[in-house]
Amino acid sequence: KKDFTRYETDDKKLLLTKIYDLIPAELNSSNKRFNFSDIKKGLRYERSENSFIWLTSAGVALPTYNVSAPTLPLLLNEKSSLFKLFLSDIGMLTSLYGRATKLQLLSNNEDINNGALYENVIAQELKAHGFKLYYYNSKKFGEIDFVIEYNGKVLPIEVKSGKSYQRHSALNNIMEISNYSIQEAFILSNYNIKVKNNLIYYPIYMIMFITADYVDLPIIELDDLSKKAAKFTESAIDKTKEFAGTAELKLKKRNLETDLEEVYAKLGKY
């Protein structure tokens, strides 16, 4: 905290530190969405936007924005004032939880809620792999932990830390909506690989294999471009000549008709 607030004014230091310290509690809330009123009662996003942008630009925080619909392109459905705020490193998050929680994690205590930790790991990995982070939340259908653009399609990702990893009503709901055209979904948990229709279950460590797809543009040789340009130019010249020839013929025809009219006019006098 002293490092990323070193060169800021006292007022801004207090706000940045407050946001940073609130991240664990916000991630532990029911919907994990950052609540601005927890910073200060009545505070709106617009008045603190620069601080969130600063934390993101400094590499401290990872915002995951809400989308109104899980459809391409996700950017057009983004709600910039609704987001979850993860930390850029899982070690930073666990250090904020305190010594007691760290001891429970090291002893594999199953009584603690690992949901926020698991989601932070996934956010960190997806960001490192080049994905823009989104999530979906609807009062009618429920919440999807992450929604990304993967292989040219929308991919929902659910993160499960407990034994009930096969319960995902929100995911089932959006998979049934034909307008969303979602072809598959990933569920990440502590359990082994399993495929059930278009739902694919992976152990959480396999997030390392989910990488952003980059469409390779076709390589066009310069010689080919030159040949195509020359061919196009030659074709354009031929067309121009053709049009010019047609125009010239029309002009000659018009002149001939004018001459004939003059001849007929003179013959008419005699």
Side-chain angles (χ1 to χ4, degrees), residues 6 16 23 34 38 41 51 66 70-71 76 80 86 98 125-126 128 139 143 147 153 176 194 207 222 254 263 265 269:
R6 181 180 301 175
L16 290 171
I23 290 177
F34 201 97
D38 288 340
K41 188 175 181 180
S51 296
N66 178 262
T71 55
L76 296 185
S80 60
F86 296 99
E125 285 293 300
L126 289 174
K139 290 182 179 179
E143 181 177 322
V147 182
K153 301 179 182 66
E176 293 174 357
K194 178 181 178 181
I207 185 64
L222 291 177
R254 191 178 302 115
V263 171
K269 289 181 180 181

Short mmCIF file of all heavy atoms in Angstrom, two decimals, residues 6 16 23 34 38 41 51 66 70-71 76 80 86 98 125-126 128 139 143 147 153 176 194 207 222 254 263 265 269:
data_model
loop_
_atom_site.label_atom_id
_atom_site.label_comp_id
_atom_site.label_asym_id
_atom_site.label_seq_id
_atom_site.Cartn_x
_atom_site.Cartn_y
_atom_site.Cartn_z
N ARG A 6 2.64 6.04 -2.88
CA ARG A 6 3.80 6.84 -2.45
C ARG A 6 3.74 8.28 -2.95
O ARG A 6 4.06 9.22 -2.22
CB ARG A 6 5.09 6.18 -2.94
CG ARG A 6 6.35 6.92 -2.54
CD ARG A 6 7.58 6.20 -3.04
NE ARG A 6 7.65 4.85 -2.52
CZ ARG A 6 8.58 3.96 -2.88
NH1 ARG A 6 9.49 4.29 -3.78
NH2 ARG A 6 8.59 2.76 -2.36
N LEU A 16 -7.55 5.50 -2.00
CA LEU A 16 -6.97 4.31 -2.63
C LEU A 16 -6.79 3.18 -1.62
O LEU A 16 -7.08 2.02 -1.91
CB LEU A 16 -5.62 4.66 -3.27
CG LEU A 16 -5.65 5.55 -4.50
CD1 LEU A 16 -4.24 5.99 -4.88
CD2 LEU A 16 -6.30 4.83 -5.68
N ILE A 23 -11.51 -4.68 -0.74
CA ILE A 23 -11.64 -5.72 -1.77
C ILE A 23 -11.97 -7.11 -1.19
O ILE A 23 -12.88 -7.78 -1.69
CB ILE A 23 -10.39 -5.77 -2.66
CG1 ILE A 23 -10.34 -4.51 -3.54
CG2 ILE A 23 -10.37 -7.02 -3.55
CD1 ILE A 23 -9.10 -4.38 -4.40
N PHE A 34 -18.59 -4.73 -6.32
CA PHE A 34 -18.07 -3.67 -5.45
C PHE A 34 -19.18 -2.65 -5.18
O PHE A 34 -19.79 -2.11 -6.09
CB PHE A 34 -16.87 -2.98 -6.10
CG PHE A 34 -16.01 -2.26 -5.09
CD1 PHE A 34 -14.88 -2.86 -4.59
CD2 PHE A 34 -16.34 -0.99 -4.64
CE1 PHE A 34 -14.09 -2.22 -3.64
CE2 PHE A 34 -15.58 -0.33 -3.71
CZ PHE A 34 -14.44 -0.95 -3.21
N ASP A 38 -19.91 1.46 0.47
CA ASP A 38 -19.08 0.93 1.54
C ASP A 38 -17.84 1.81 1.76
O ASP A 38 -17.21 1.77 2.81
CB ASP A 38 -18.63 -0.51 1.23
CG ASP A 38 -19.79 -1.48 1.35
OD1 ASP A 38 -20.78 -1.15 2.02
OD2 ASP A 38 -19.70 -2.58 0.76
N LYS A 41 -20.92 6.56 2.53
CA LYS A 41 -22.36 6.51 2.31
C LYS A 41 -22.79 7.55 1.27
O LYS A 41 -22.43 8.72 1.35
CB LYS A 41 -23.10 6.76 3.63
CG LYS A 41 -24.61 6.54 3.53
CD LYS A 41 -25.28 6.67 4.88
CE LYS A 41 -26.77 6.41 4.76
NZ LYS A 41 -27.46 6.53 6.07
N SER A 51 -10.01 6.84 -9.11
CA SER A 51 -9.27 5.99 -8.17
C SER A 51 -9.29 4.53 -8.61
O SER A 51 -8.28 3.82 -8.52
CB SER A 51 -9.85 6.12 -6.77
OG SER A 51 -9.69 7.44 -6.29
N ASN A 66 -19.72 -6.05 -15.52
CA ASN A 66 -21.01 -6.69 -15.77
C ASN A 66 -21.44 -6.44 -17.22
O ASN A 66 -21.22 -5.37 -17.77
CB ASN A 66 -22.06 -6.13 -14.82
CG ASN A 66 -23.44 -6.71 -15.07
OD1 ASN A 66 -24.26 -6.11 -15.75
ND2 ASN A 66 -23.67 -7.88 -14.53
N PRO A 70 -25.00 -11.92 -22.44
CA PRO A 70 -23.81 -12.66 -22.85
C PRO A 70 -23.79 -12.92 -24.36
O PRO A 70 -23.87 -14.06 -24.82
CB PRO A 70 -23.93 -13.96 -22.06
CG PRO A 70 -25.39 -14.17 -21.89
CD PRO A 70 -26.00 -12.80 -21.81
N THR A 71 -23.71 -11.84 -25.12
CA THR A 71 -23.70 -11.93 -26.58
C THR A 71 -22.54 -11.12 -27.14
O THR A 71 -22.07 -10.16 -26.53
CB THR A 71 -25.01 -11.40 -27.18
OG1 THR A 71 -25.23 -10.06 -26.72
CG2 THR A 71 -26.20 -12.27 -26.77
N LEU A 76 -19.93 -4.18 -26.16
CA LEU A 76 -21.12 -3.35 -26.38
C LEU A 76 -22.17 -3.54 -25.29
O LEU A 76 -23.07 -2.72 -25.14
CB LEU A 76 -21.74 -3.67 -27.75
CG LEU A 76 -20.88 -3.35 -28.97
CD1 LEU A 76 -21.67 -3.60 -30.24
CD2 LEU A 76 -20.37 -1.92 -28.93
N SER A 80 -20.03 -0.17 -17.28
CA SER A 80 -18.75 0.21 -16.67
C SER A 80 -18.83 0.55 -15.19
O SER A 80 -17.83 0.53 -14.48
CB SER A 80 -18.14 1.38 -17.44
OG SER A 80 -19.00 2.50 -17.41
N PHE A 86 -11.13 -7.67 -8.37
CA PHE A 86 -10.19 -8.67 -7.86
C PHE A 86 -8.81 -8.04 -7.73
O PHE A 86 -8.53 -6.98 -8.30
CB PHE A 86 -10.11 -9.86 -8.82
CG PHE A 86 -11.40 -10.62 -8.96
CD1 PHE A 86 -12.25 -10.38 -10.04
CD2 PHE A 86 -11.77 -11.56 -8.03
CE1 PHE A 86 -13.44 -11.08 -10.18
CE2 PHE A 86 -12.96 -12.27 -8.15
CZ PHE A 86 -13.80 -12.02 -9.23
N GLY A 98 -5.47 -12.13 6.65
CA GLY A 98 -4.93 -12.27 8.00
C GLY A 98 -4.32 -13.64 8.27
O GLY A 98 -4.53 -14.60 7.53
N GLU A 125 -5.60 -15.50 -13.87
CA GLU A 125 -5.13 -16.32 -14.98
C GLU A 125 -5.73 -15.87 -16.32
O GLU A 125 -5.02 -15.78 -17.32
CB GLU A 125 -5.48 -17.79 -14.72
CG GLU A 125 -4.61 -18.46 -13.70
CD GLU A 125 -3.17 -18.60 -14.17
OE1 GLU A 125 -2.94 -19.26 -15.20
OE2 GLU A 125 -2.28 -18.02 -13.53
N LEU A 126 -7.02 -15.60 -16.33
CA LEU A 126 -7.67 -15.16 -17.58
C LEU A 126 -7.06 -13.86 -18.07
O LEU A 126 -6.81 -13.69 -19.27
CB LEU A 126 -9.18 -14.99 -17.37
CG LEU A 126 -10.00 -16.28 -17.18
CD1 LEU A 126 -11.44 -15.94 -16.83
CD2 LEU A 126 -9.94 -17.16 -18.43
N ALA A 128 -4.05 -12.76 -17.42
CA ALA A 128 -2.68 -13.06 -17.87
C ALA A 128 -2.68 -13.70 -19.26
O ALA A 128 -1.71 -13.56 -20.01
CB ALA A 128 -1.98 -13.97 -16.87
N LYS A 139 -31.47 -10.64 -12.46
CA LYS A 139 -32.41 -11.00 -11.39
C LYS A 139 -33.26 -12.20 -11.80
O LYS A 139 -33.67 -13.00 -10.96
CB LYS A 139 -33.31 -9.80 -11.08
CG LYS A 139 -32.59 -8.66 -10.39
CD LYS A 139 -33.54 -7.52 -10.06
CE LYS A 139 -32.82 -6.39 -9.35
NZ LYS A 139 -33.74 -5.25 -9.04
N GLU A 143 -26.54 -15.40 -11.73
CA GLU A 143 -25.21 -14.85 -12.02
C GLU A 143 -24.25 -15.91 -12.55
O GLU A 143 -24.20 -17.04 -12.07
CB GLU A 143 -24.61 -14.22 -10.76
CG GLU A 143 -23.23 -13.61 -11.00
CD GLU A 143 -22.67 -12.92 -9.77
OE1 GLU A 143 -23.46 -12.28 -9.04
OE2 GLU A 143 -21.45 -13.02 -9.53
N VAL A 147 -17.60 -14.35 -17.99
CA VAL A 147 -18.03 -14.51 -19.38
C VAL A 147 -16.92 -13.92 -20.24
O VAL A 147 -16.53 -12.77 -20.05
CB VAL A 147 -19.35 -13.76 -19.66
CG1 VAL A 147 -19.80 -13.99 -21.09
CG2 VAL A 147 -20.45 -14.21 -18.70
N LYS A 153 -16.50 -17.08 -29.88
CA LYS A 153 -17.84 -17.27 -29.29
C LYS A 153 -17.83 -16.81 -27.84
O LYS A 153 -16.78 -16.61 -27.24
CB LYS A 153 -18.25 -18.75 -29.37
CG LYS A 153 -18.30 -19.33 -30.78
CD LYS A 153 -18.69 -20.80 -30.73
CE LYS A 153 -18.70 -21.40 -32.14
NZ LYS A 153 -17.36 -21.43 -32.75
N GLU A 176 -30.19 -22.27 -22.01
CA GLU A 176 -31.47 -22.61 -22.66
C GLU A 176 -32.04 -21.44 -23.48
O GLU A 176 -33.05 -21.61 -24.16
CB GLU A 176 -32.48 -23.04 -21.60
CG GLU A 176 -32.13 -24.36 -20.92
CD GLU A 176 -33.07 -24.70 -19.78
OE1 GLU A 176 -33.97 -23.87 -19.50
OE2 GLU A 176 -32.91 -25.77 -19.18
N LYS A 194 -15.02 -33.95 -16.79
CA LYS A 194 -16.30 -34.60 -17.05
C LYS A 194 -17.05 -33.79 -18.11
O LYS A 194 -16.99 -32.56 -18.10
CB LYS A 194 -17.12 -34.68 -15.76
CG LYS A 194 -18.50 -35.29 -15.91
CD LYS A 194 -19.23 -35.30 -14.57
CE LYS A 194 -20.63 -35.87 -14.70
NZ LYS A 194 -21.35 -35.85 -13.40
N ILE A 207 -7.12 -24.14 -15.86
CA ILE A 207 -7.31 -22.78 -16.38
C ILE A 207 -6.06 -22.35 -17.17
O ILE A 207 -6.14 -21.50 -18.06
CB ILE A 207 -7.60 -21.80 -15.23
CG1 ILE A 207 -7.93 -20.40 -15.76
CG2 ILE A 207 -6.43 -21.72 -14.26
CD1 ILE A 207 -9.17 -20.30 -16.58
N LEU A 222 4.38 -9.47 -51.37
CA LEU A 222 4.39 -8.21 -52.09
C LEU A 222 4.30 -8.41 -53.59
O LEU A 222 3.67 -7.63 -54.31
CB LEU A 222 5.65 -7.41 -51.73
CG LEU A 222 5.71 -6.87 -50.29
CD1 LEU A 222 7.03 -6.17 -50.05
CD2 LEU A 222 4.56 -5.91 -50.05
N ARG A 254 -23.43 11.24 -84.11
CA ARG A 254 -24.19 12.47 -83.95
C ARG A 254 -23.77 13.50 -85.00
O ARG A 254 -24.60 14.20 -85.59
CB ARG A 254 -23.96 13.02 -82.54
CG ARG A 254 -24.91 14.16 -82.18
CD ARG A 254 -24.70 14.67 -80.76
NE ARG A 254 -24.86 13.61 -79.78
CZ ARG A 254 -23.89 13.16 -79.01
NH1 ARG A 254 -22.68 13.65 -79.14
NH2 ARG A 254 -24.12 12.19 -78.14
N VAL A 263 -27.57 18.38 -95.44
CA VAL A 263 -27.67 18.01 -96.86
C VAL A 263 -29.13 17.97 -97.28
O VAL A 263 -29.52 18.51 -98.34
CB VAL A 263 -27.00 16.65 -97.12
CG1 VAL A 263 -27.31 16.18 -98.55
CG2 VAL A 263 -25.50 16.78 -96.91
N ALA A 265 -31.58 19.47 -95.95
CA ALA A 265 -32.13 20.85 -95.92
C ALA A 265 -31.79 21.58 -97.22
O ALA A 265 -32.61 22.30 -97.78
CB ALA A 265 -31.58 21.58 -94.71
N LYS A 269 -34.27 22.89 -100.80
CA LYS A 269 -34.38 24.23 -101.39
C LYS A 269 -34.53 24.16 -102.92
O LYS A 269 -35.03 25.07 -103.55
CB LYS A 269 -33.14 25.06 -101.05
CG LYS A 269 -33.08 25.46 -99.58
CD LYS A 269 -31.85 26.28 -99.32
CE LYS A 269 -31.75 26.70 -97.85
NZ LYS A 269 -30.56 27.52 -97.58
#
